[in-house]
Amino acid sequence: MTERPISDLSLVWHQIRYQNRIFWRTPVAAFFTIVFPLMFLVIFTTVFGNDRISEIGVTFGQYYASAMAVFGAVSATYTNLAVQTAIARDDGILKRVRGTPLPPWIYIAGRVGSAVYIAAIAVVVMLAFGSVAYGVRIFGESLPSLIVTFVIGVACFAALGLLVAALAPSSDATPVLANATLLPLAFISGIFFISGPNEPAALRAIAGLFPLRPFGLAFHDGFDPLEVAARGGWLGQFHWPELAVMMLWMVGAAVLATRVFTWEPRVGEREGGRRRRSLAAR
Amino acid sequence: MAAIVVRRLVKHYGDVAAVRGIDFEVRPGEVFALLGPNGAGKSTTVEILEGHRTRSGGEIEVLGFDPETAGRDFRERIGIVLQTTAIERELTVTEAIDIHGRVYAGRRSTQELVELVGLEEKAGARVKTLSGGQKRRLELALGIVGDPDLLFLDEPTTGFDPSARRQAWSVIANLTSLGKTVLLTTHYMDEAQHLADRVAVISAGRIVAEGTPDTLGGRAEASTRVSFSLPVGTAVGGPLERARADGDRYVLEADDVTRVLHEITGWALHNDVELIDVTVDRPTLEDVYLELTGGGQDD
């Protein structure tokens, strides 16, 4: 028996540590979040060559590394957080946590904190690999803007990920729901395809209403030497309208998620459901 | 003060009434079992007391709290072992106990718990590699890591093989010897008999009997049964005429067993008849239970 005061902050810290440990022990999640975007980068630069893109003035590697960094960050927060949270809910893990003194917000903060940490790793790994393999350049003036864009971007997609987990009727449906929303958006948001001047203005406008294109654009511009030069000092690098769009989505998703989020398993506890069925069959 | 007070508890799911007015009290330090078939309302009742569900009507008090509105203070003092295992598969046994223990202001040491539930050899193993029984014992460790005053055990051994069940029972018996209050649900008669100080039989959302395992359903007052078989073709006479046939056996209800045994064995010796497989017993808890719950067709 040890009696000791526990601060909420240290609880958050330990929750993050354990969520990280679980993440790294789940090879599939680690692969899709860290390795998958790297593979895309290699494939795209191999297929298209690492030439200068005439329309936007940067090399393919420079463009794709920033786009894939955003994709990795979004996978870590939106897709992973949604899927892992829904599985934990349907396994009954959330329900058990709810029966302990751990405040719910600390548990959620642990999951979000871990997802953000892994998103940061995905971005750093992508940029490090890009700079070594494809000569991707990083500009000091745009770094503050990139960091703020990252923080608001992952916060926005973490809130959306939790909302998807809350709305999904079962954990099986969660990856479908997450990918069916993310992938089409990625195609029209300049993540997989370069949005040049030939892109229909209407499509661009529609994509701009969703949070992915603003995230990608603000990130991409920070790596575009012409854009960085044109915007002047570090304060000029900030993409205020794009940040505003992401913050609106973040607040909306967070408010809605807190209303619809449940801690009870849906469609029966997964293992328990199987066990009951097999007992009934006996 | 009672650890748990339940008065006229009612729970509806839409039009379906799962709990239809239940009353009971659990005293501190007592092991109280809710015994009943699947779907009788046991888990619903327990989950309301744990604070996992809201009630439709009635009053409850758990350790002086209303679980529906209680917060962190209440959860510091209770431990819950849910019906299905739910532990992060990728953590080791030690890590799982550790992370769950951290959330309590007062906790038992990981080492002590690993020993208490007999998982020393699996301490470093991932949860996903544990057998069903080992997972359940780990759940038990997680339920008591906060050193609770009151422990909820929802069907702690469902799906166990007999030896795993014996092991789990000895772990639970260990806990109760520490003076913890335990509310247990089960649909196994032997489990209630083995672990509980008092039992309430619940059927279709109502408590149909309550008492100690020995007195439940009037078992203490029930008359003793003497039963036996006879060789084929034996002519029944004398005291055996009072016996009723039950299949190929004869049963005598007796309040004075000694006299009845003396009479029938005397008659048998005198007539040179062999009494085969003589048994003397009272109605088992299972008999009482099946009668109370309407034949147990639910299971």
Side-chain angles (χ1 to χ4, degrees), chain A residues 27-282:
Chain A
V28 176
F31 177 82
F32 272 101
T33 311
I34 310 289
V35 182
F36 212 48
L38 288 176
M39 277 172 48
F40 271 133
L41 177 66
V42 172
I43 291 168
F44 286 144
T45 44
T46 307
V47 170
F48 300 114
N50 193 24
D51 299 333
R52 184 163 290 273
I53 308 166
S54 57
E55 302 101 80
I56 57 173
V58 294
T59 59
F60 264 111
Q62 185 86 8
Y63 180 84
Y64 273 123
S66 64
M68 284 303 106
V70 168
F71 186 66
V74 172
S75 291
T77 45
Y78 183 68
T79 318
N80 279 0
L81 196 57
V83 172
Q84 303 303 332
T85 306
I87 289 176
R89 179 195 64 209
D90 287 359
D91 275 351
I93 289 171
L94 297 191
K95 183 174 179 178
R96 191 162 37 70
V97 168
R98 204 69 185 85
T100 71
L102 185 70
W105 75 265
I106 291 184
Y107 183 79
I108 296 296
R111 282 197 168 268
V112 171
S114 162
V116 167
Y117 169 77
I118 287 150
I121 289 178
V123 169
V124 169
V125 166
M126 173 62 59
L127 296 179
F129 179 79
S131 68
V132 171
Y134 302 108
V136 169
R137 289 170 60 201
I138 294 159
F139 306 101
E141 307 97 291
S142 64
L143 261 186
S145 158
L146 287 176
I147 290 167
V148 169
T149 302
F150 170 82
V151 169
I152 291 176
V154 292
C156 169
F157 279 97
L160 285 164
L162 290 174
L163 180 61
V164 168
L167 291 175
S170 74
S171 55
D172 295 340
T174 317
V176 180
L177 203 55
N179 285 320
T181 45
L182 177 62
L183 294 181
L185 207 52
F187 277 106
I188 64 168
S189 298
I191 298 296
F192 293 142
F193 292 121
I194 294 163
S195 29
N198 299 331
E199 191 184 31
L203 193 62
R204 182 178 299 202
I206 290 168
L209 296 175
F210 293 96
L212 188 54
R213 187 185 171 91
F215 195 177
L217 186 70
F219 227 71
H220 158 252
D221 282 353
F223 287 89
D224 182 341
L226 300 178
E227 185 71 25
V228 172
R231 282 174 170 261
W234 67 272
L235 203 56
Q237 307 293 330
F238 281 84
H239 285 55
W240 303 113
E242 283 77 13
L243 293 176
V245 170
M246 288 192 282
M247 283 172 83
L248 279 175
W249 277 91
M250 175 180 70
V251 171
V255 168
L256 199 55
T258 39
R259 279 169 182 265
V260 293
F261 197 85
T262 58
W263 298 72
E264 289 275 318
R266 297 194 186 151
V267 202
E269 290 93 326
R270 299 193 331 153
E271 266 182 70
R274 269 200 293 280
R275 194 171 69 194
R276 276 195 291 275
R277 274 195 297 281
S278 69
L279 278 177
R282 241 172 251 167

Side-chain angles (χ1 to χ4, degrees), chain B:
Chain B
M1 193 184 73
I4 300 177
V5 181
V6 177
R7 293 268 171 270
R8 299 177 304 279
L9 177 66
V10 175
K11 176 68 181 179
H12 300 286
Y13 295 110
D15 291 340
V16 184
V19 176
R20 303 154 179 256
I22 280 183
D23 294 81
F24 66 89
E25 274 189 25
V26 181
R27 294 186 281 266
E30 185 175 43
V31 180
F32 190 90
L34 285 174
L35 175 66
N38 291 338
K42 304 186 297 289
S43 290
T44 300
T45 303
V46 168
E47 294 204 340
I48 290 169
L49 297 175
E50 291 165 350
H52 278 312
R53 289 182 200 284
T54 57
R55 59 188 183 269
S56 311
E59 286 153 37
I60 54 174
E61 210 177 271
V62 182
L63 301 173
F65 292 90
D66 178 349
E68 220 166 277
T69 53
R72 217 162 159 174
D73 294 347
F74 171 62
R75 296 196 169 91
E76 283 282 353
R77 294 183 54 201
I78 63 166
I80 299 174
V81 178
L82 292 168
Q83 212 177 99
T84 49
T85 53
I87 306 166
E88 290 83 352
R89 294 163 45 79
E90 302 297 337
L91 294 179
T92 67
V93 167
T94 314
E95 287 168 344
I97 297 176
D98 222 47
I99 184 68
H100 287 94
R102 277 186 193 283
V103 308
Y104 295 92
R107 60 159 296 190
R108 302 163 75 97
S109 84
T110 302
Q111 175 71 26
E112 179 197 355
L113 285 169
V114 167
E115 283 167 19
L116 186 68
V117 299
L119 285 175
E120 294 97 327
E121 282 168 26
K122 289 285 181 180
R126 299 271 177 95
V127 169
K128 65 180 175 187
T129 67
L130 301 182
S131 72
Q134 289 166 337
K135 269 188 204 163
R136 207 72 185 119
R137 280 184 275 149
L138 176 56
E139 284 264 305
L140 213 50
L142 299 186
I144 56 173
V145 65
D147 200 30
D149 298 327
L150 168 62
L151 179 64
F152 294 98
L153 295 173
D154 202 356
E155 302 199 359
T157 65
T158 295
F160 276 27
D161 61 45
S163 77
R165 168 172 304 157
R166 289 276 158 189
Q167 254 176 320
W169 283 356
S170 75
V171 172
I172 295 167
N174 261 341
L175 295 179
T176 57
S177 69
L178 300 172
K180 307 292 182 194
T181 310
V182 178
L183 180 61
L184 166 82
T185 77
T186 183
H187 54 234
Y188 299 119
M189 277 68 60
D190 51 347
E191 187 158 283
Q193 192 155 25
H194 195 94
L195 295 173
D197 299 318
R198 279 195 305 140
V199 179
V201 178
I202 182 167
S203 177
R206 287 201 176 86
I207 289 180
V208 292
E210 190 184 324
T212 66
D214 289 334
T215 61
L216 197 70
R219 275 179 77 213
E221 294 79 42
S223 52
T224 303
R225 295 182 310 185
V226 178
S227 79
F228 52 89
S229 305
L230 292 170
V232 180
T234 307
V236 176
L240 273 62
E241 284 172 349
R242 297 206 307 271
R244 71 183 152 83
D246 181 10
D248 58 351
R249 293 178 69 75
Y250 293 84
V251 180
L252 273 167
E253 307 278 346
D255 292 322
D256 45 352
V257 185
T258 317
R259 173 181 298 277
V260 167
L261 279 174
H262 184 79
E263 282 173 6
I264 62 169
T265 51
W267 178 88
L269 277 176
H270 184 77
N271 293 285
D272 199 21
V273 169
E274 176 73 11
L275 294 179
I276 302 166
D277 193 16
V278 181
T279 63
V280 179
D281 62 16
R282 287 191 302 161
T284 62
L285 187 55
E286 182 160 356
D287 296 333
V288 173
Y289 171 81
L290 290 177
E291 194 182 325
L292 288 169
T293 58
Q297 72 274 38
D298 284 287
D299 215 337

